[in-house]
Amino acid sequence: MIITDALNYFSDGYFFQEKGTSGEALIKELSQHSPCKALIEEAQNVIKDLGLSALEVRLEPTKGGFNAEQDNNVIRIKPNLSANQQRYFFIFELTNLIQHKKHKEIWESAIKGVYKNPEEYTRAIEFTEYNGLKLANIVSRAINKHNGRFFRSYVKNPHEWMPLESMCFNFYYSFCLLDSHKECYRKQWRKLNNIENPATSIFNNALKSALSLSVITSVIAIACRYCYYLMDG
C-alpha cells in the first residue's frame, strides 16, 4: 500500500488512482464523518427552506467547465477525478449550497446593475467562495487527520496548506487565486451586460479599420488606373 500510494503521489495521481463510484455512495460515505455530516445536514436544511428536492450528487461533466458546480439542490462533479478529489469538491460545493442565498443575492444585484464593472462582480463571488474555502479547509483537515495516509490524503484538498483563516481576502484574491478562475466570472458579467471582452473588442476594431483602409486603398488604385487609361486614350 505504501508503494502504490507513493507512486500515485509522485505521479500526481497518474498511477494507482482511486476511482469514485457514484453520487449516492459519496453522500453516504462522507455522512459517516462527523465534520462533513454537519455540512450535509446544514445543506439539506437550506434545500428544505428553498422548497427544493433532496440533495443530489451527479458524477458527470459540469455545465460551466469547472471541476464541480452547485446548481440548486444538485452538485455536479467531473467523473474523471480521483475519489479523494471528488470528496473535496463535494465538501466545497456543500459550502456553496449553504451560501446559496448569498450567491443568489449577488446574481440578482448583477442583473440590477449594482456592480459597475466585472471586477466588482468577480470580487463579490470570490469573497463568498473564499468563506466557503475556509470552512472546507476545516472539514478536510479534520477528516484527513483520522482517515488520511502518509502519501494519500482521504480528501485531496489543494487549498488545505493555505492558512486561509488568518489570511485576508485581498491577499488571497491578489496572490493565491488563479486569474483564469476570476476570468470565468468576469465573462459572466460581460455576458450579462452584453459587453464584449475588451481584448476581443480592440482586435475587432483594428480588423475593421484595416479592412476599411484596404477597401479605400483599392478604390483609389482603381480610380488612378481609370484616370491613367483616359489620359492614355
Side-chain angles (χ1 to χ4, degrees):
M1 185 178 291
I2 294 178
I3 294 175
T4 57
D5 282 357
L7 287 172
N8 179 268
Y9 179 85
F10 289 110
S11 67
D12 196 26
Y14 184 81
F15 295 112
F16 304 104
Q17 188 181 86
E18 182 187 4
K19 299 294 184 181
T21 52
S22 68
E24 294 83 358
L26 193 57
I27 295 174
K28 184 178 180 180
E29 177 188 353
L30 286 173
S31 294
Q32 298 173 11
H33 304 283
S34 56
C36 191
K37 183 181 179 182
L39 272 189
I40 293 172
E41 290 175 349
E42 189 174 353
Q44 288 172 331
N45 287 333
V46 170
I47 289 172
K48 186 178 179 180
D49 290 343
L50 294 171
L52 301 172
S53 301
L55 174 64
E56 185 179 350
V57 176
R58 300 177 186 174
L59 302 185
E60 62 184 28
T62 58
K63 295 180 179 180
F66 293 116
N67 284 321
E69 63 190 10
Q70 176 255 328
D71 183 7
N72 292 321
N73 63 306
V74 176
I75 291 176
R76 295 185 187 87
I77 304 173
K78 287 185 176 180
N80 62 318
L81 298 175
S82 64
N84 56 3
Q85 287 176 312
Q86 290 175 352
R87 292 182 191 114
Y88 165 69
F89 284 111
F90 173 53
I91 291 170
F92 174 68
E93 293 304 333
L94 281 173
T95 70
N96 274 334
L97 208 165
I98 290 168
Q99 299 184 101
H100 178 82
K101 290 182 181 178
K102 181 60 181 177
H103 282 290
K104 187 178 179 181
E105 286 174 7
I106 293 171
W107 177 250
E108 290 175 347
S109 296
I111 293 174
K112 294 176 184 177
V114 173
Y115 303 109
K116 303 304 179 184
N117 56 64
E119 206 63 24
E120 286 185 3
Y121 173 69
T122 300
R123 285 182 65 88
I125 293 181
E126 295 290 8
F127 180 72
T128 305
E129 293 198 348
Y130 159 79
N131 289 326
L133 283 175
K134 289 194 288 186
L135 181 55
N137 271 6
I138 294 170
V139 173
S140 68
R141 285 174 188 152
I143 295 175
N144 280 330
K145 184 177 180 180
H146 295 284
N147 299 87
R149 302 198 295 264
F150 187 78
F151 282 115
R152 192 191 292 267
S153 55
Y154 185 75
V155 178
K156 191 174 183 180
N157 179 353
H159 306 97
E160 194 171 302
W161 62 272
M162 292 184 185
L164 293 175
E165 297 80 7
S166 59
M167 184 187 297
C168 71
F169 172 70
N170 287 335
F171 184 90
Y172 165 77
Y173 187 85
S174 300
F175 301 105
C176 302
L177 187 59
L178 292 175
D179 194 67
S180 57
H181 194 273
K182 291 182 276 190
E183 186 59 27
C184 290
Y185 295 123
R186 293 173 186 141
K187 286 180 180 178
Q188 280 185 7
W189 185 90
R190 286 194 286 263
K191 185 177 181 180
L192 188 63
N193 290 273
N194 296 315
I195 296 175
E196 291 183 277
N197 185 326
T200 304
S201 181
I202 292 171
F203 174 77
N204 287 339
N205 289 336
L207 183 61
K208 288 177 184 177
S209 299
L211 289 173
S212 298
L213 182 62
S214 177
V215 170
I216 293 171
T217 303
S218 298
V219 170
I220 293 174
I222 292 171
C224 289
R225 288 180 183 176
Y226 182 69
C227 291
Y228 177 79
Y229 172 79
L230 291 176
M231 293 174 64
D232 189 54

